[in-house]
Amino acid sequence: MGEVRVEIEIDAPADAVWSVLNDVGRWAEWNEVIIDGRCDAPDVGARISCKVAAGPVWFPVNSHLVEWAPQKTLVWGVDHGRIARVQHGFTMHASGARTRVVHFESFEGLIGRMIFPLINGTLTRNYATFLACLKARVER
């Protein structure tokens, strides 16, 4: 198993962060790491799609929401058994007027073991960039 995990503190309450993070369709307006976001509905099982940058390559993601809890969790994933299991998302931890956001992606299965070592560094940098853009958008 491999996991990318980055965190950031945002000087804003959880509801302000959530309103930007939960608006998947507008992600491309403020970042260049995860774009073309679409989400059918804010419910577990709903379809979610986007494109994720890994260096110069864009990976299309077509998945389903695994967890969706306002101001706490937004997670999507795919499960193809031993071939590939991937979960990608965000958790939020509010502390007054500040919110810590954790951006993560975990890889399991045969494809995950093969691909993760090749893209770990790039994804870590890109997801840190995504969080920096989220911070800038929320704090503006």
Side-chain angles (χ1 to χ4, degrees):
M1 178 175 139
E3 182 177 57
V4 173
R5 181 182 174 91
V6 293
E7 302 180 19
I8 199 164
E9 291 282 333
I10 298 177
D11 291 321
D15 61 336
V17 177
W18 181 257
S19 70
V20 173
L21 189 58
N22 184 52
D23 194 355
V24 176
R26 297 182 73 181
W27 284 354
E29 292 178 12
W30 50 267
N31 90 94
E32 296 179 2
V33 175
I34 303 177
I35 62 167
D36 291 339
R38 291 177 178 79
C39 185
D40 289 347
D43 289 310
V44 170
R47 200 163 159 70
I48 187 170
S49 64
C50 60
K51 291 181 185 172
V52 178
V57 178
W58 288 93
F59 289 97
V61 174
N62 293 297
S63 188
H64 292 88
L65 286 177
V66 175
E67 294 180 48
W68 185 87
Q71 301 179 26
K72 295 185 191 275
T73 311
L74 174 62
V75 180
W76 59 91
V78 295
D79 187 344
H80 298 293
R82 292 182 177 171
I83 302 297
R85 288 181 306 284
V86 180
Q87 282 204 342
H88 187 154
F90 306 90
T91 58
M92 296 172 47
H93 309 277
S95 178
R98 294 184 60 112
T99 305
R100 181 168 47 94
V101 180
V102 178
H103 188 175
F104 66 90
E105 187 163 19
S106 64
F107 299 82
E108 294 182 38
L110 179 61
I111 293 175
R113 284 192 302 276
M114 291 171 38
I115 292 175
F116 181 74
L118 302 173
I119 62 175
N120 177 31
T122 299
L123 289 182
T124 299
R125 285 187 300 277
N126 285 354
Y127 294 169
T129 298
F130 181 93
L131 287 182
C133 291
L134 174 64
K135 179 180 175 75
R137 177 70 168 209
V138 172
E139 292 180 358
R140 67 180 175 137

